[in-house]
Amino acid sequence: MGSEHVVQGGFPMKANAGNATILALGKAFPHQLVMQDFLVDGYFKDTNSDDPELKQKLARLCKTTTVKTRYVVMSEEILEKYPELTTEGTPTIKQRLHICNEAVTKMAIEASQACIKKWGRPTSDITHLVYVSSSEARLPGGDLYLAKGLGLSPQTKRVMLYFSGCSGGVAGVRVAKDIAENNPGSRVLLATSETTIIGYKPPSANRPYDLVGVALFGDGAGAMMIGSDPELVSENPLFEVHTALQEFLPGTEKTIDGRVTEEGISFKLERELPQIIEDHIEGFCGRLMGVVGYDNKEYNKMFWAVHPGGPAILNRMEKRLDLSPEKLNASRRALADYGNASSNTIVYVLEYIIEESKKMKREGEGDGEWGMILAFGPGVTFEGILARKLAV
């Protein structure tokens, strides 16, 4: 496997020369914490709605999503200032973008600052910025406002990834990997930031699928520092980003459908999404695993950092790949604690992967050196990273 240096316990402490590494992680959230047990009554109260059938359906969905807590930008103050957000059919895209643009920038700055602090080097050492969001729309984009808020150099090279949905975080890692490996000495800040206000609507019998989003999605931001050939004196590499792969499935364009309307953004997820992912996951993972000589009988030798789009996706993956239950613990914990926070969630999953690896090491248990970082988004698009743990 090249110039790997292996220490006791089997974990390499040095990445292959020239390969991108994740050097630090950071996260941030808005102040409003929503307990899932109280969501139904609060949502129907906030939207001045009273449909017993829809209320019952949302209550069932809240249980099946396995989400326990989430953070949201939406607040009583926002609803008091913009009561039209809860009025069916009212054009509110201008108001929503005004709220969202400000909120995602604030969260992205906070997550990036947390990441930079853990990284341990000065902000002036950042050479590139990759910014990901499906919750804003403006020119100039959020990348410029984030760069300004962090005090980055005007020479910082910027890339925006808009409306990549749940796969955006892993797509951002793929783009940052290419930048880092083709610009020796560079340090790439990847930031993601999302809020559900862009699609917040009152319940409607004509849009029953909206309730899935109400029960599942949360707000927040995430950040990673990515660079090749880390300075081991000043940097603490966490994962090597060994190989990246993206594929889309022809004919599935409507499976994850998002449209900008006068009332904000409308999302629709088709019921067959978990089945589509299940049907194609083995082939996709096989193409990544083959790089290091693993076959489809060795899934449990690896760690799994999977974006938790929902419990059905995780359950079907676990069954199809015959994964041990603990392999998706990090994904399930992230879903329970933060909901599906779209592109941000992979950061939260990776943090839990590190936490659980440290616990296993303390208890004298082994864990996979190689692993998969996966997410699924509009297209249907599969994003995957074959990664190595470098430190626990």
Side-chain angles (χ1 to χ4, degrees), residues 172-191:
V173 176
R174 173 172 51 78
V175 171
K177 168 184 170 64
D178 288 346
I179 294 171
E181 294 178 354
N182 285 285
N183 296 272
S186 63
R187 288 298 178 264
V188 186
L189 174 62
L190 165 63

Side-chain angles (χ1 to χ4, degrees), residues 208-280:
Y209 44 81
D210 279 2
L211 296 181
V212 175
V214 175
L216 184 63
F217 287 95
D219 300 356
M224 302 185 196
M225 191 64 65
I226 296 175
S228 59
D229 300 319
E231 298 288 339
L232 297 182
V233 174
S234 59
E235 296 176 313
N236 180 34
L238 304 174
F239 299 93
E240 177 182 348
V241 186
H242 189 279
T243 304
L245 182 65
Q246 182 199 63
E247 292 182 6
F248 70 92
L249 305 178
T252 62
E253 294 86 356
K254 300 295 184 181
T255 304
I256 304 174
D257 189 64
R259 303 296 176 94
V260 178
T261 72
E262 293 179 343
E263 299 174 65
I265 294 181
S266 296
F267 288 104
K268 185 176 181 181
L269 305 177
E270 295 293 346
R271 291 179 179 271
E272 63 265 24
L273 177 61
Q275 184 65 56
I276 290 172
I277 292 173
E278 179 183 354
D279 290 344
H280 294 86

Side-chain angles (χ1 to χ4, degrees), residues 287-331:
R287 284 182 278 282
L288 280 169
M289 293 170 62
V291 173
V292 289
Y294 280 10
D295 63 32
N296 60 7
K297 304 297 183 184
E298 299 179 289
Y299 295 124
N300 284 300
K301 291 185 178 180
M302 310 179 77
F303 68 85
W304 292 81
V306 181
H307 170 83
I313 292 173
L314 296 178
N315 293 341
R316 285 173 178 267
M317 276 192 60
E318 182 178 85
K319 181 179 179 181
R320 175 57 66 96
L321 304 180
D322 196 23
L323 295 176
S324 301
E326 70 274 8
K327 289 296 179 180
L328 296 180
N329 274 354
S331 297

